Amino acid sequence: MENIRSFAIVIVDNFDQEIDRFNLDYADTPKNLGFELEFTTLESRLTTYFTSAREKRLPTTLNLNFLPPDAYKKANLFKQFVQQYTTARMVFEYNDTTGEIKNWEGKIQKFGQEELTEWGALVCPISFLPGTPKYIKKDNTISITQSSIGKSYPFKYPYSYGRSISENNIISNTYFDEIPLRVTLYGYLTNPQIILQDISTGEIYSTVRFDGLTIPENSHLIIDAIQSKVLLYYNGVYTSAYDYISKQSNLDSFLYARANSTSRVVINLSPVETGYLKASYRQYTL
């Protein structure tokens, strides 16, 4: 049986976990599922030099078909859904049948309503205004934990303590711009430091370090470049831990994987620490 592409509006919390969704079961005539790029340029007498690129934020439009019986009632349910979540984080989800679901965060900008068709359906054009590039969710794909048998971690720079093992700590960013990471550190950890290293050059290009911070067992720390938040979960409550980030000028507050590069994630696990790292990211795509 041939797969059919599908659309949905998904409501997510601050950690991108689904809260609610409205499946757009009978949608047609989609527009702006592709891309349009904007460029900054330098001009000479004979040549235009393209210095940077940005994806233009074009509204995604499509027609929703609310079928009989009770077409008006079904349309009102969708309007109530949008009204309920107008101030929440809203994601347009698109499954194009290739096996990868594309998402882009934004807002429902417009909802139109036409007359019933001859067979009782209600056609309602909608417009979704994106606030991010399209992305594919890569949840918990990075994992670094303590080795129970003391295996050596084969990295040749001073940030490796030789006591950690990795299920996967590689990010291959094929997008033309950097992509944000959401890193979660689970205790017990003291003054953690996380780095990103360019595999092809060996360059350590981003470092986030915490000073005076202990993450107890059964607690965790979230360093979220997607939402620009640093949160410590302790005793069932999230509080800001941004003030614990080292403010040295050569260090960063959040982690972004370099554009068009393959990067390695590393954490400074010491032999006495029992904590571990999990990381998710958004792989932006055109």
Side-chain angles (χ1 to χ4, degrees):
M1 181 177 179
E2 183 180 0
N3 291 328
I4 300 175
R5 64 181 180 180
S6 60
F7 307 90
I9 303 297
V10 182
I11 308 303
V12 298
D13 63 14
N14 286 333
F15 308 113
D16 283 349
Q17 299 302 304
E18 183 176 316
I19 297 173
D20 203 353
R21 70 164 45 229
F22 198 105
N23 293 322
L24 309 179
D25 294 326
Y26 301 100
D28 61 27
T29 324
K31 294 182 179 179
N32 294 331
L33 296 178
F35 65 90
E36 182 177 336
L37 297 179
E38 299 176 312
F39 298 93
T40 56
T41 60
L42 293 175
E43 303 283 346
S44 70
R45 187 172 63 87
L46 297 177
T47 306
T48 297
Y49 299 94
F50 298 93
T51 58
S52 65
R54 176 182 182 272
E55 189 173 357
K56 193 173 182 179
R57 305 287 191 262
L58 298 174
T60 302
T61 62
L62 68 166
N63 291 334
L64 304 185
N65 298 281
F66 297 101
L67 306 183
D70 302 321
Y72 281 112
K73 182 178 179 180
K74 294 173 183 175
N76 285 335
L77 288 175
F78 178 76
K79 288 192 288 185
Q80 290 169 13
F81 176 88
V82 174
Q83 178 175 282
Q84 179 182 356
Y85 293 116
T86 296
T87 59
R89 293 181 61 204
M90 187 177 292
V91 174
F92 189 95
E93 181 184 277
Y94 171 44
N95 185 349
D96 64 2
T97 75
T98 63
E100 290 188 316
I101 297 176
K102 295 181 179 179
N103 309 268
W104 45 107
E105 196 169 334
K107 297 293 183 184
I108 294 288
Q109 183 185 36
K110 182 180 179 181
F111 177 89
Q113 189 166 304
E114 302 176 0
E115 295 295 328
L116 290 174
T117 64
E118 294 180 358
W119 51 284
L122 186 63
V123 179
C124 298
I126 68 166
S127 176
F128 186 89
L129 186 64
T132 68
K134 301 176 185 67
Y135 62 90
I136 298 168
K137 293 174 65 177
K138 302 290 185 178
D139 288 337
N140 294 321
T141 56
I142 306 298
S143 179
I144 303 174
T145 187
Q146 191 70 284
S147 172
S148 60
I149 57 175
K151 291 182 179 179
S152 176
Y153 204 38
F155 297 149
K156 298 179 180 179
Y157 41 83
Y159 302 96
S160 174
Y161 284 76
R163 299 283 299 181
S164 55
I165 58 174
S166 167
E167 294 176 16
N168 176 39
N169 68 331
I170 304 301
I171 299 173
S172 297
N173 179 17
T174 57
Y175 195 62
F176 61 82
D177 205 343
E178 60 186 12
I179 58 175
L181 276 65
R182 177 184 290 115
V183 176
T184 304
L185 306 178
Y186 296 87
Y188 165 75
L189 293 172
T190 301
N191 297 330
Q193 176 173 279
I194 310 98
I195 70 169
L196 293 177
Q197 181 195 36
D198 190 310
I199 288 181
S200 63
T201 65
E203 177 192 0
I204 295 170
Y205 64 86
S206 183
T207 301
V208 173
R209 190 180 75 203
F210 291 83
D211 295 329
L213 176 66
T214 296
I215 308 171
E217 291 188 2
N218 302 316
S219 300
H220 59 267
L221 177 75
I222 299 174
I223 311 160
D224 187 358
I226 298 172
Q227 292 291 302
S228 298
K229 294 180 179 180
V230 181
L231 299 172
L232 177 65
Y233 180 82
Y234 178 69
N235 284 341
V237 178
Y238 281 105
T239 57
S240 175
Y242 185 81
D243 290 342
Y244 290 99
I245 296 177
S246 177
K247 302 305 190 293
Q248 291 186 17
S249 60
N250 62 325
L251 301 180
D252 301 305
S253 298
F254 300 99
L255 295 165
Y256 294 85
R258 179 175 281 178
N260 293 314
S261 298
T262 300
S263 302
R264 176 183 288 127
V265 183
V266 180
I267 181 175
N268 63 330
L269 289 176
S270 71
V272 298
E273 291 176 315
T274 58
Y276 58 97
L277 176 151
K278 292 281 188 179
S280 305
Y281 59 97
R282 290 179 169 184
Q283 178 57 69
Y284 290 148
T285 183
L286 292 176

